[in-house]
Amino acid sequence: MNMLAHPEARDSTPIIEFRDADYRLPNGQALLRQLNLAVNQGETLVLLGRSGAGKTTALKLINRLLEPSAGEVRVEGRTTLEWDPIALRRHIGYVIQETGLFPHYTVEENVALVPRLENWARALIRERPRELLAMVGLDPAFFLGRYPHELSGGQRQRVGVARALAGDPPILLMDEPFGALDPLTRAEIRGEFQALQQRLRKTIVIVTHDTNEALLLATRIALMEAGELKGVYSPQGFLHSDEPVAAAYAAQLRALEGFERGNRRE
Amino acid sequence: MPRSCEHSKDSKGATDVSEFLSQHGSEILNATIEHMWLVGATMLLAIAIGVPLGILVARKPWLSNPILGTANVAETIPSLALLGFLLAVPWLGARADRLTITALTLYALLPIIRNTATGISGVDPAVREAARGMGMTGRQILFRVELPLSISTILAGVRVATVLTIGIATIAAAVGAGGLGEFIFRGLAMVNNSLILAGAVPAALLALIADLILGLLERRLRPAR
């Protein structure tokens, strides 16, 4: 386990902390068991695992879309139950796979939603969507007045990120943010996101089942399997771990590399 | 009530129609206005009750059976019988329009409740989750997301209910609430087709116009997908 993989992580107190967090469905089925995990200021933690591993459940515990059945989740030192849920969620940007853009709002209205809910000054509410669209690589003049159904999947995803950043939240949660995209668009947006990440220095938690994505974006990787945390690794440490599940992921990557090398030899 | 003996036979020619209209025109107009008032009041009441109930059904699925079931039963009671039952209820039975509007509202509720529930439950779960995740309150989600996104479905229910109500409201004349049913009942009693048509044609026209206007509104408000 490599808690010190990232230099910034060393002296900072955790922004998000799971303490023995359980989540059980009303019928008793456990989706998450005894999760202990800390996310540090400014890092990008990737929750990696297959479907049903409990990644999304863990993510939703952070912005209190779900409440832990046992244990607690702390955000900036306070448990999520101590936070006012609305204040907590306004404090945290949230991007989901299908983006959840409001189909009856234009791109501008979608992005300006949180500033409007927060009663920002009118000039700022006007300014913010323009600034953010430019930041995610969409021409404001062209896109502000569009509706989500007029956009491509990649454009929608960019708007989703812009919307999540609108209130300038210090924390960003992303659930399979690039999952619905074709591989090329995916790689493109992922690259742009990396640049954005460097610039914004937010604390980011990303859920994905894509090992490449995890290795590229993560400062640390939290590996989950069947509702349990298997380990936390630096991207390098992850590739060389003996933990069976991590090793399986690494082996799958090496198989792909072998395939590439094999092709090159032909 | 002017007894129009000269029209007790079927009037076929155009002159007969114009003569009939000149004699009964203002009476028909008054009855039409009366009819519209009964239907309008009913629809306002039915929307005020039906939309919140529909939202409740969408929110609490376990309430779906009791609420929709009750509305369904109301729908199955023959309208004449329902008016009869309600006549016996103290405050309601005291005035004909009160009684009629109550009965009509019971009929109009089902399509409105059902379509509201369908519309709200049909909102994309990702949209709702995003709304919650962004820190919108339940109220904000309802008024800014769920209702705008289901408005065309709700209006479709209102449209069905309005057309239904315009038809059933003709029965109101049986308890003396007036409306276009007056002509139909009178025509039936006197075996006079002209009088029946004088009630039926404006009622049908009203239904068609209401259907058209609400249909246009429904299409206008449907969110693009």
Side-chain angles (χ1 to χ4, degrees):
Chain A
M1 218 158 292
N2 198 338
M3 295 292 280
L4 303 178
H6 201 64
E8 281 109 321
R10 203 165 296 154
D11 44 30
S12 47
T13 52
I15 293 290
I16 302 164
E17 197 179 2
F18 292 86
R19 292 186 184 170
D20 296 322
D22 276 14
Y23 183 76
R24 249 171 267 115
L25 290 177
N27 67 17
Q29 190 194 343
L31 296 186
L32 199 64
R33 272 185 298 268
Q34 294 280 307
L35 180 61
N36 281 289
L37 181 65
V39 186
N40 299 308
Q41 170 79 52
E43 80 167 325
T44 300
L45 182 99
V46 170
L47 294 169
L48 177 68
R50 55 180 113 197
S51 339
K55 316 180 292 284
T56 297
T57 305
L59 199 73
K60 287 183 177 172
L61 287 174
I62 299 172
N63 62 1
R64 200 174 156 182
L65 288 180
L66 298 175
E67 294 175 358
S69 314
E72 60 184 31
V73 180
R74 289 179 171 267
V75 174
E76 296 181 355
R78 273 189 285 168
T79 71
T80 51
L81 298 183
E82 286 163 357
W83 277 86
D84 167 53
I86 301 302
L88 177 69
R89 291 172 195 155
R90 300 263 174 93
H91 199 70
I92 299 176
Y94 187 47
V95 184
I96 56 180
Q97 180 173 343
E98 304 86 353
T99 73
L101 291 180
F102 297 166
H104 58 307
Y105 278 17
T106 60
V107 166
E108 174 166 20
E109 290 167 328
N110 265 289
V111 177
L113 183 70
V114 170
R116 260 174 39 212
L117 293 176
E118 295 275 271
N119 289 318
W120 288 20
R122 186 174 285 230
L124 281 176
I125 293 177
R126 228 187 100 72
E127 181 54 34
R128 193 66 175 150
R130 285 160 180 79
E131 181 189 341
L132 283 165
L133 283 189
M135 191 159 84
V136 297
L138 297 176
D139 175 17
F142 183 78
F143 285 101
L144 281 173
R146 306 268 149 175
Y147 283 89
H149 73 273
E150 300 174 294
L151 309 182
S152 71
Q155 290 162 348
R156 271 204 289 273
Q157 209 58 47
R158 288 184 175 96
V159 175
V161 172
R163 182 173 69 172
L165 292 170
D168 202 14
I171 302 169
L172 195 57
L173 306 181
M174 309 179 90
D175 193 350
E176 297 280 5
F178 314 118
L181 305 177
D182 62 90
L184 289 182
T185 312
R186 192 176 172 128
E188 198 178 296
I189 295 198
R190 198 156 58 193
E192 288 168 15
F193 181 74
Q194 268 178 302
L196 207 61
Q197 201 182 3
Q198 307 273 313
R199 226 176 102 191
L200 297 173
R201 314 236 50 99
K202 309 255 179 216
T203 305
I204 305 174
V205 182
I206 302 178
V207 161
T208 185
H209 54 243
D210 182 329
T211 326
N212 276 313
E213 203 155 286
L215 291 170
L216 280 172
L217 298 179
T219 46
R220 288 188 303 150
I221 297 173
L223 180 64
M224 301 197 58
E225 175 86 356
E228 284 174 10
L229 182 66
K230 288 292 174 192
V232 183
Y233 311 88
S234 69
Q236 273 310 308
F238 179 76
L239 284 175
H240 303 105
S241 166
D242 310 328
E243 202 284 322
V245 182
Y249 273 99
Q252 170 251 329
L253 278 183
R254 274 194 292 276
L256 208 62
E257 274 169 34
F259 174 73
E260 274 170 18
R261 241 174 275 133
N263 275 3
R264 237 173 278 143
R265 240 178 270 131
E266 272 170 27
Chain B
M1 294 281 126
R3 293 198 140 241
S4 39
C5 298
E6 61 269 51
H7 288 288
S8 51
K9 283 181 195 139
D10 284 7
S11 40
K12 281 181 187 127
T15 48
D16 290 344
V17 172
S18 65
E19 196 185 317
F20 181 86
L21 281 181
S22 71
Q23 197 171 356
H24 294 279
S26 67
E27 214 187 331
I28 294 176
L29 190 69
N30 280 340
T32 306
I33 291 170
E34 215 167 37
H35 205 85
M36 284 166 71
W37 135 249
L38 286 174
V39 172
T42 299
M43 291 319 297
L44 285 182
L45 198 62
I47 291 170
I49 299 170
V51 170
L53 280 180
I55 295 168
L56 202 62
V57 167
R59 287 279 145 80
K60 312 247 183 281
W62 60 272
L63 280 174
S64 166
N65 277 337
I67 292 179
L68 286 177
T70 309
N72 232 328
V73 167
E75 208 86 344
T76 60
I77 304 174
S79 31
L80 216 47
L82 184 60
L83 286 173
F85 291 142
L86 292 177
L87 203 53
V89 178
W91 181 79
L92 280 182
R95 279 187 53 180
D97 51 356
R98 207 182 272 166
L99 169 68
T100 306
I101 290 170
T102 308
L104 291 178
T105 301
L106 287 176
Y107 285 116
L109 275 177
L110 183 65
I112 297 179
I113 298 175
R114 202 169 40 200
N115 276 42
T116 304
T118 307
I120 302 264
S121 329
V123 171
D124 182 353
V127 167
R128 195 177 283 118
E129 189 190 323
R132 285 222 303 146
M134 276 190 295
M136 293 178 91
T137 62
R139 223 185 144 78
Q140 286 165 341
I141 295 176
L142 180 66
F143 285 105
R144 298 193 191 196
V145 180
E146 290 175 318
L147 284 177
L149 284 178
S150 38
I151 192 76
S152 75
T153 311
I154 296 174
L155 265 178
V158 170
R159 181 157 70 114
V160 170
T162 306
V163 172
L164 192 83
T165 304
I166 291 173
I168 302 179
T170 53
I171 312 273
V175 291
L180 290 164
E182 287 284 341
F183 289 99
I184 297 175
F185 277 102
R186 224 195 295 160
L188 282 173
M190 296 165 64
V191 202
N192 181 333
N193 282 346
S194 304
L195 278 176
I196 296 180
L197 286 175
V201 171
L205 282 178
L206 273 186
L208 280 174
I209 293 169
D211 192 55
L212 197 74
I213 292 176
L214 289 170
L216 282 176
L217 205 59
E218 186 189 320
R219 237 157 293 143
R220 174 70 58 85
L221 292 174
R222 184 177 304 151
R225 275 252 78 161

